[in-house]
Amino acid sequence: MIGYIKGNVLSASENCVILENNGIGYEITCSASVYQKLIADKKGEVYTYLAVREDDISLYGFSSIEEKNMFLKLITVSGVGPKMGITVLSSIDLSTLAIMIATSDVKGLSKIKGLGKKTAERIILELKEKVEKAFDTDGEPIKDTNVDDNNYNEDAVIALMSLGFTKTECVNVVKSAYKEGKTTIEEIIAYSLKHIK
């Protein structure tokens, strides 16, 4: 499995780049954010996913582990293949996508080109379920001795957890966002993504 590549851009077209590393050119289909950065810098690094099918082997590239984790979650949903996964990530930024999933925004997701209402509903249903495995069978948050469970936005925590962060990390950074005066879920997510690492 090829998980990471760093090199120089040899050519590019339609969200696909050839990235050269040690004399080998890797053809990588990228999310929009990665593509734009690679084109601008003429070099760079990507976290990758190798999709192997009977009639095709393709390499997909992402700007961060979080973006790759979201892609891997997306392609587990019935009706969402790697190309659609890349389309989703290219259409909206990670924090917005996480917010849409956490708040069950079917209408917002449905606006993505090629993504119908039924698929949007499946994405929300299946990915929320995966994130909420961190919760017990009664739907109550699992108590964490390292975290004060009072005064934090559960939707923001779920959105961040959907990106691959732990519940403890998410709760702590969301509480910090509140202390910094962030009140809307958009402000909280934006603050959290800058400070969670």
Side-chain angles (χ1 to χ4, degrees), residues 70 73-74 92-109 120-132 135 152-164 170 174 184-186 188-189:
M70 179 60 82
K73 286 182 171 67
L74 285 169
I92 50 178
D93 61 67
L94 267 186
S95 59
T96 302
L97 177 58
I99 291 166
M100 285 180 174
I101 292 170
T103 57
S104 300
D105 186 359
V106 175
K107 187 176 180 181
L109 272 180
E121 289 172 343
R122 279 200 301 270
I123 288 173
I124 289 167
L125 176 65
E126 294 183 31
L127 296 193
K128 268 189 110 171
E129 283 182 349
K130 287 185 178 184
V131 171
E132 289 167 356
F135 296 79
Y152 67 85
N153 186 304
E154 195 67 51
D155 284 342
V157 170
I158 290 173
L160 290 167
M161 287 173 65
S162 74
L163 299 178
C170 297
V174 168
T184 69
I185 190 168
E186 289 82 5
I188 293 167
I189 294 291

Side-chain angles (χ1 to χ4, degrees), residues 21-171:
N21 176 283
N22 288 327
I24 299 174
Y26 297 90
E27 187 174 276
I28 307 169
T29 300
C30 304
S31 64
S33 61
V34 182
Y35 182 80
Q36 290 163 6
K37 190 171 191 313
L38 288 175
I39 295 304
D41 297 343
K42 300 191 184 323
K43 63 180 180 179
E45 58 185 15
V46 290
Y47 293 90
T48 59
Y49 170 76
L50 184 65
V52 180
R53 305 205 168 181
E54 287 183 11
D55 58 348
D56 181 56
I57 297 177
S58 299
L59 201 58
Y60 294 88
F62 311 94
S63 61
S64 64
I65 289 292
E66 291 77 28
E67 187 176 51
K68 180 178 176 179
N69 284 340
M70 179 60 82
F71 172 83
L72 293 175
K73 286 182 171 67
L74 285 169
I75 63 174
T76 65
V77 177
S78 175
V80 180
K83 289 182 180 178
M84 178 53 71
I86 284 288
T87 297
V88 172
L89 292 174
S90 296
S91 301
I92 50 178
D93 61 67
L94 267 186
S95 59
T96 302
L97 177 58
I99 291 166
M100 285 180 174
I101 292 170
T103 57
S104 300
D105 186 359
V106 175
K107 187 176 180 181
L109 272 180
S110 298
K111 291 179 181 178
I112 296 171
K113 186 178 180 181
L115 192 67
K117 183 181 177 183
K118 288 185 179 179
T119 305
E121 289 172 343
R122 279 200 301 270
I123 288 173
I124 289 167
L125 176 65
E126 294 183 31
L127 296 193
K128 268 189 110 171
E129 283 182 349
K130 287 185 178 184
V131 171
E132 289 167 356
K133 283 182 180 177
F135 296 79
D136 65 25
T137 53
D138 296 325
E140 292 295 321
I142 295 172
K143 297 299 179 184
D144 189 325
T145 54
N146 297 317
V147 175
D148 176 1
D149 281 313
N150 296 321
N151 299 322
Y152 67 85
N153 186 304
E154 195 67 51
D155 284 342
V157 170
I158 290 173
L160 290 167
M161 287 173 65
S162 74
L163 299 178
F165 299 110
T166 68
K167 182 170 186 284
T168 300
E169 289 173 327
C170 297
V171 172

